[in-house]
Amino acid sequence: LTEPFNPKHITYEVTGPAGHVDLDYLDENGQPHRIDAATLPWSFTIVTTLPSMSANIVAQGDSDVDKLRCRVVVDGQVRDDRSSDEFQPFVYCLVKSV
């Protein structure tokens, strides 16, 4: 008999001042996706019943953005949180196994 498995909720969040960022992230199957000129703040939630997946998001700000923050939230718990306040900031957040 198989035990019931609760789905995991993985949320990618990218925040910063008003502006646009280019985003790359992995879906639940490990497939990359790209979004050009996403408006901040941006978030995306994956719901999966897979036993394990890697969560990865990369964000690059345009010249109007001087601070970026990314987070990976798994079932309500922050698993990675990083920020950059450089010119045209670059951030990534990675959780090897959720």
Side-chain angles (χ1 to χ4, degrees):
L1 182 67
T2 302
E3 291 292 320
F5 188 75
N6 293 329
K8 293 179 194 158
H9 295 76
I10 298 98
T11 301
Y12 295 123
E13 299 175 350
V14 179
T15 57
H20 296 94
V21 294
D22 294 332
L23 302 167
D24 294 279
Y25 67 91
L26 293 179
D27 68 15
E28 66 273 20
N29 298 310
Q31 296 300 307
H33 295 270
R34 179 167 179 89
I35 300 174
D36 293 319
T39 302
L40 292 175
W42 179 89
S43 69
F44 180 72
T45 299
I46 295 168
V47 179
T48 181
T49 56
L50 292 173
S52 180
M53 69 168 267
S54 291
N56 184 26
I57 183 155
V58 176
Q60 170 78 51
D62 65 17
S63 60
D64 295 332
V65 175
D66 59 2
K67 184 171 178 74
L68 267 184
R69 180 180 185 188
C70 67
R71 298 192 332 158
V72 176
V73 181
V74 180
D75 292 333
Q77 293 188 332
V78 176
R79 296 282 299 274
D80 199 7
D81 186 342
R82 298 173 195 246
S83 62
S84 172
D85 58 2
E86 299 175 5
F87 178 71
Q88 294 183 331
F90 170 88
V91 292
Y92 75 93
C93 287
L94 172 66
V95 178
K96 290 183 180 178
S97 182
V98 297

